[in-house]
Amino acid sequence: MSQQTTQIVDLKYDPESYKGSAPDTVPACTDLLPWIEAAKVEKEKEEERKRKEKEAEQKKKEDEKKGGFTSFMGKAAAAATSVASSVGEGYDKVAKDLRDKIAEQQEGRWRSNVGINENLMYEYTCSIVSGGEKFSGYLYVSVASLTFYSLAGGARLKFTIPLKAVKSIQFASALPVKDGKCPYIQHVTNLKVKTDAFLIYTTDNRVHQFFAFGAAHDLVSSFYEHAYNVIDHSWRAAK
C-alpha cells in the first residue's frame, strides 16, 4: 500500500496596516546581549576562583611555617578551596556545553525551516496575528531579518521582515478576549507598565504583532525580555 503524503498549504500573511508616521521607537536596550553577559559572568567567576585559590595557597604556606595544628588546618582549607573550585569549573563547563547544544539545535531548525543564508542570533517560540487569527510557531532573529515560521495541520505560514525595513519597535500587551481566541494586542506607551508583546512597524505601512515569547528548550520561562534585547540589538546594528 502506498503511503500518502500530507499536502502542505501555504497561507498568505496578512498583518494590519497603519496610516501616517510610525510612533517613535522604544528606548534602546542598554543590556549586553545575553550570551555576552553569560561570558562576562563566567570570566568573573573564573577570576574569583583563581583569586581564592591563590589566597588559600598563600595561607597554606604561611601556616606550614607555623607548623602543628595550624599547618593542618591550612592544608585542609586549601584542599576545600580546590575542591570547590573544581566543582564550580565543572558546573560552568556543563552550562556552556548546554548553551552550545541549544545553539546547534536552533541553527538546525533555522536551516531546515527557513534556509536563509544569514547568521542566526536566536530562535524563539512565539505567536503572531495574521488576518485577525493567532498563529504559533518560531521566530528567527538573524543579523539582517526577522523570520516567522509556523506549520500546523498541513497549513504553513512563513514570512520575513528585513531589519532595514523596520521603522519602529513598540511595547504592547496581549489581552485575553471573551471568546478565548486571538488576544487583542494593546499598544503600551507607559514604560512603567509591564508588557509581553511587540508591535513592529515597517516601511510598507504594516504593523506586525508578536507575543507569547518562549523557547523550544524551555517550555516554562518567558523569553520576552530576552527577545527584546536580541531584536533591538540586531535591528540597531542593521540600520
Side-chain angles (χ1 to χ4, degrees):
M1 182 181 291
S2 62
Q3 196 174 31
Q4 291 185 335
T5 58
T6 302
Q7 183 69 31
I8 296 177
V9 177
D10 286 309
L11 304 176
K12 182 181 178 182
Y13 175 49
D14 183 21
E16 291 188 3
S17 60
Y18 69 93
K19 295 181 180 180
S21 301
D24 293 337
T25 195
V26 296
C29 179
T30 57
D31 295 337
L32 294 173
L33 283 164
W35 45 91
I36 295 178
E37 178 64 29
K40 178 185 174 185
V41 170
E42 286 176 359
K43 183 179 179 181
E44 290 173 349
K45 285 182 178 179
E46 179 63 20
E47 291 174 349
E48 180 66 10
R49 277 198 295 268
K50 289 180 178 179
R51 184 187 65 79
K52 287 184 177 180
E53 286 180 351
K54 185 176 180 180
E55 288 179 353
E57 189 63 28
Q58 182 64 33
K59 190 173 189 308
K60 175 185 171 183
K61 291 179 179 179
E62 292 174 356
D63 290 342
E64 283 177 344
K65 291 179 181 179
K66 297 177 182 178
F69 183 72
T70 302
S71 176
F72 170 78
M73 291 302 294
K75 290 178 181 179
T81 300
S82 179
V83 170
S85 178
S86 297
V87 171
E89 287 178 1
Y91 176 82
D92 288 344
K93 184 179 185 304
V94 169
K96 184 180 183 303
D97 289 346
L98 178 60
R99 288 199 302 274
D100 290 344
K101 184 65 175 178
I102 290 170
E104 181 182 340
Q105 292 173 343
Q106 290 187 354
E107 186 77 19
R109 287 189 292 267
W110 158 247
R111 299 300 176 193
S112 175
N113 293 340
V114 180
I116 298 177
N117 189 25
E118 295 174 1
N119 291 330
L120 178 67
M121 298 291 281
Y122 212 81
E123 171 206 71
Y124 302 95
T125 57
C126 79
S127 296
I128 61 98
V129 180
S130 176
E133 295 184 21
K134 169 187 171 181
F135 290 85
S136 297
Y138 295 97
L139 176 66
Y140 297 96
V141 184
S142 75
V143 294
S145 63
L146 304 175
T147 299
F148 179 80
Y149 179 88
S150 173
L151 178 61
R156 178 169 57 196
L157 178 64
K158 182 170 73 171
F159 63 88
T160 296
I161 303 171
L163 288 173
K164 287 185 178 295
V166 174
K167 292 285 290 183
S168 177
I169 298 174
Q170 298 294 308
F171 295 134
S173 289
L175 305 178
V177 294
K178 292 180 179 179
D179 63 9
K181 295 181 180 180
C182 183
Y184 177 74
I185 309 302
Q186 175 65 55
H187 182 201
V188 176
T189 57
N190 189 333
L191 298 179
K192 294 181 180 180
V193 175
K194 190 174 181 179
T195 55
D196 59 5
F198 297 117
L199 297 174
I200 296 182
Y201 292 74
T202 47
T203 53
D204 58 356
N205 289 96
R206 299 289 184 177
V207 55
H208 311 269
Q209 304 173 75
F210 297 88
F211 61 99
F213 284 87
H217 64 273
D218 185 344
L219 303 179
V220 178
S221 305
S222 168
F223 276 71
Y224 176 70
E225 295 293 338
H226 191 291
Y228 163 57
N229 181 319
V230 176
I231 291 172
D232 188 74
H233 276 291
S234 300
W235 171 52
R236 294 179 189 276
K239 290 172 65 175

